Amino acid sequence: MAMSGGVDSSVAAALLADAGHDVVGVTLKLWGGAGDRGCCSVADVEDARRVADHLGIDHHVFNFAEDFQAKVVAPYVAAHAAGRTPNPCIECNRHLKFDRLVRRADALGFDAVATGHHARIGHDGDGTPRVARGVDGAKDQSYVLYMLDGATLGRLLLPVGELTKAQVRQLAADRGLRTADKAESQDVCFVPSTSGRATFLGQRIPLRTGRVVDRTGTEVGHVDAVELVTIGQRKGLGLAGGGVPRYVLDVDASTATVTVGGAEDLLTDGLELDDLVWSSRPHHGPVSVQCSAHGAPRPATLGGTRLTWDQPQRRVAPGQAVVLYHDDLVLGGGLAASAHR
């Protein structure tokens, strides 16, 4: 049982123990640098250990910090340097929780791996297992699990996927778990809240001043660090006040240039996908698409790696995950491609 120190994985562990499973709690030590929030803090490891003790199950800490640096932190920094907007939580799931941890579980002889994600395991018409949306739509985490294939899903347990967050907290309170009222972390766990993203990146890459231009190429402002700018951003662009609001349409890190335009200029007919993966077989044709963790699904058609919207939609920042669904089942997904590949 992957125990992050949060309420969801605490309750998941309790439910599995109640069901008669021989449960061992495991917390991953992922980050060796300064970290004060999310599953990278010392407090969260201690919370997981104490919940495991409360439940009467063994608890271990696996040190995957080297893999985390190579597979999550370094690509996060490189993406910003290239003008992309990464999602490190997805890469952590891809490379650590559902690769490195699963391989460690295999080596130790465990039958299954469980997590506290708000998602379910569903099946399509021919019985193929797929990630499915969790019961609580407001907390659904199927988006961040789009990379899981049938082999992984065949041995994965998601005990809280059938519960709402309120039910999870009530179960934790009923069991007297210390995490019952613990707040959720919404930020990148390895970026300290006291210093922030600019400081974190500035210690690892040079942050360059960037020109802000309109669609005609006329310079209209500047940004202190082009590496911190993302598509759709409105503030911090050094633009004159008043007038029609302008938004970031494009970030060209190679020339340190940010292009801005009006809200209507953010609309596009489609996008290209990089690193497209499928939970089983490839799918082409109509799909339902989600472009952020809690974004509203939008209808589109997929042809090859090109996604065409049924109705124009706001641009998706390069590097963001684009997840493809059929009803509540995840078909697969990829990353929004950059115009400057």
Side-chain angles (χ1 to χ4, degrees), residues 7-18:
V7 65
D8 294 316
S9 59
S10 298
V11 169
L15 292 173
L16 291 173
D18 289 349

Side-chain angles (χ1 to χ4, degrees), residues 1-2 24-26 28 60 62 64 96-115 152 155-157:
M1 177 69 230
V24 173
V26 171
L28 306 184
H60 301 285
F62 292 166
F64 292 163
L96 277 299
K97 293 172 185 167
F98 297 102
D99 180 22
R100 190 75 166 84
L101 177 59
V102 170
R103 287 188 283 118
R104 175 65 65 87
D106 284 340
L108 296 176
F110 285 93
D111 299 312
V113 171
T115 76
T152 301
R155 53 182 314 201
L156 176 64
L157 300 174

